[in-house]
Amino acid sequence: MAAVTLAQQPPPPPAPPVPTTQAPPTPAPEAPPLTAPPGVERRDAFPSVNVYLPEGQASIRLRKLIKNVLFESQIDYRFVNGDISTFLRYKYYARSFTYKIGVFDTIEFPDVGRGSSQDFQRVRGGLLLAEFPRDYNHRYFWLLQDDRLTFGDVTNVDNRKNNIYTKLGWQYGSEFDERLNGIVGESRGRIIPVLTAFRDIGPQKLSVAAALTESARISTGDYKYTKLETEAIRRFDATSTSFFVTRAHVGMFVTKSKVAGADTLPPIAQYTIPAYEMFSLGGREALKSIGSQDAATGIDEFHVTNEYFVPVFRNRDHPIWGLHWNTMYAIGYVGFGQAAYRLADAFKPADYVVDAGLGTEATFRLRDYDVLFSVIYAHTVHSPDELRGGKWRFSIRTVR
């Protein structure tokens, strides 16, 4: 979480997501918004829960603000294959900057049916992240991080190695958007945005983030590479109520080197770059028809996604099945992109992956909780044979 503080006594972290990418709503008189007791910020006082299917992933985040310091703990668990991650963070708010100290421990197993339960990857480490706001819309970041890699397969060339790197980042707009914050700052442990229609998009309906990462063989560091990554999100209004949201992402490794005997290894193992640092073309935040663990990875990557939102109803109180439905959008989705291990291959139109889909995003109230819900089905239209297929994706986020 990246926050901007320009006052001596900063406010608490941001309020729950609101539909900032749509026209300002008119609250229904029969369904007034829930309010917290005086002096209590709801997002601080209660945990947030996020569930993602079919990945079978859930996360819970607890936070407590004491004066100028935010204490935060988080657990992510993928109950399909047993992946688990834990995070502890300490964040201090000063007059013209913030800094965060964090430690983490993640352990990941292969997807079910893809390997032995002993073939795990574990990454432990710590980080220092500083943020320097220029004004409300412009921010600069500096990150120093150390990752310790351990594998169940002790013959893995990356076993018991350290990745020490620093990152310089710049961000315009959307200071509370965790996707863009993951590019300029801490990439692990962020909450994946559930609803695009409810994302915080910056002024002029545009947000941008860019970061340059340098890994060095200093102290116990075992890697050396330079990574460049940038992403932009833009809203275009089609009518007074419907709109497009376009996301464009580009990533590349400016410098890298190959391991000894690279020609005999799979492409993902040929470079002195940890696999988790490479770019994936699939997943919820890339091309939705491709799984994040599929073969679409590379060191040079780009993708563009387009979503068209048409309101079914907005700012209502429809009691259905014991739930009070507030807002619902119908979604049309189209995406395209490519990931490769050579820059020339990343821009070959014949190898582009193109997918499309339909879905919906909605919010409803369940007792004292506001629930953000999305479902979309996406299918590949054009792609290499090994990437053809489709996926259903469900997301749930609770806010109290």
Side-chain angles (χ1 to χ4, degrees):
M1 182 181 71
V4 172
T5 304
L6 300 178
Q8 179 66 41
Q9 183 65 28
V18 296
T20 55
T21 64
Q22 65 186 56
T26 303
E30 67 273 18
L34 297 173
T35 57
V40 177
E41 211 285 338
R42 297 188 332 181
R43 196 170 175 182
D44 273 347
F46 301 97
S48 60
V49 179
N50 302 265
V51 179
Y52 310 101
L53 298 172
E55 298 95 324
Q57 181 178 349
S59 64
I60 182 169
R61 179 181 288 186
L62 303 170
R63 50 169 63 88
K64 181 64 176 178
L65 183 67
I66 302 177
K67 293 185 177 180
N68 286 27
V69 178
L70 177 68
F71 298 92
E72 185 174 78
S73 62
Q74 179 181 336
I75 296 176
D76 293 345
Y77 182 59
R78 186 168 292 185
F79 40 85
V80 172
N81 55 3
D83 296 357
I84 188 168
S85 303
T86 58
F87 306 86
L88 296 174
R89 304 180 181 97
Y90 164 100
K91 187 169 186 178
Y92 177 76
Y93 297 81
R95 176 185 293 271
S96 57
F97 70 93
T98 68
Y99 71 81
K100 176 170 66 177
I101 299 173
V103 294
F104 57 89
D105 190 347
T106 69
I107 184 168
E108 300 178 353
F109 297 91
D111 285 356
V112 175
R114 289 197 177 189
S116 167
S117 61
Q118 299 300 317
D119 187 19
F120 66 85
Q121 172 182 316
R122 185 178 187 182
V123 183
R124 293 164 288 175
L127 61 89
L128 171 64
L129 173 63
E131 176 187 348
F132 306 92
R134 291 294 303 273
D135 54 42
Y136 188 80
N137 297 316
H138 293 84
R139 291 162 294 283
Y140 296 94
F141 296 82
W142 173 71
L143 172 74
L144 180 63
Q145 185 162 332
D146 183 5
D147 297 347
R148 175 70 171 175
L149 285 65
T150 308
F151 293 83
D153 178 9
V154 296
T155 63
N156 190 302
V157 295
D158 291 325
N159 190 44
R160 297 187 179 278
K161 288 189 176 181
N162 275 43
N163 186 19
I164 299 177
Y165 57 92
T166 188
K167 180 189 293 185
L168 297 176
W170 167 79
Q171 188 182 46
Y172 171 78
S174 299
E175 64 169 313
F176 303 124
D177 188 283
E178 297 211 26
R179 166 61 179 169
L180 299 183
N181 291 344
I183 292 176
V184 297
E186 180 184 4
S187 59
R188 289 187 179 86
R190 57 190 179 78
I191 300 299
I192 300 174
V194 175
L195 302 183
T196 301
F198 286 71
R199 289 180 68 173
D200 177 22
I201 299 181
Q204 290 78 51
K205 303 174 185 178
L206 171 70
S207 295
V208 183
L212 184 69
T213 303
E214 180 66 38
S215 178
R217 292 192 180 98
I218 59 173
S219 184
T220 59
D222 296 298
Y223 300 93
K224 183 175 177 58
Y225 59 82
T226 305
K227 177 182 179 182
L228 177 63
E229 184 177 12
T230 184
E231 180 168 306
I233 179 171
R234 179 75 161 86
R235 170 183 162 166
F236 302 91
D237 292 328
T239 68
S240 60
T241 57
S242 64
F243 54 91
F244 291 90
V245 175
T246 297
R247 291 177 50 247
H249 177 274
V250 177
M252 65 181 64
F253 283 83
V254 182
T255 65
K256 68 272 185 185
S257 58
K258 289 190 173 184
V259 301
D263 295 339
T264 62
L265 300 174
I268 195 172
Q270 291 182 2
Y271 297 89
T272 57
I273 302 171
Y276 65 82
E277 279 284 83
M278 295 183 180
F279 300 105
S280 175
L281 189 61
R284 291 181 173 272
E285 298 171 316
L287 301 189
K288 301 181 186 298
S289 66
I290 303 175
S292 58
Q293 300 297 324
D294 288 337
T297 59
I299 58 175
D300 298 302
E301 180 269 353
F302 84 96
H303 68 263
V304 177
T305 62
N306 302 276
E307 295 168 286
Y308 180 49
F309 294 86
V310 178
V312 179
F313 59 83
R314 298 187 304 162
N315 310 312
R316 297 290 186 266
D317 184 16
H318 293 308
I320 303 174
W321 304 323
L323 307 175
H324 292 269
W325 296 81
N326 175 266
T327 300
M328 178 175 287
Y329 284 92
I331 308 171
Y333 158 80
V334 176
F336 64 91
Q338 172 67 305
Y341 290 92
R342 292 196 313 161
L343 184 60
D345 293 339
F347 296 97
K348 289 182 177 180
D351 295 333
Y352 284 4
V353 178
V354 181
D355 64 353
L358 295 172
T360 184
E361 293 188 349
T363 63
F364 59 85
R365 184 177 302 161
L366 177 63
R367 297 182 180 271
D368 293 336
Y369 286 89
D370 297 321
V371 181
L372 288 71
F373 170 79
S374 71
V375 57
I376 190 168
Y377 175 77
H379 197 91
T380 52
V381 177
H382 176 272
S383 70
D385 292 340
E386 66 270 16
L387 297 179
R388 291 188 179 276
K391 285 191 178 295
W392 285 95
R393 296 190 182 275
F394 299 85
S395 301
I396 298 174
R397 180 174 183 178
T398 65
V399 181
R400 185 178 181 182

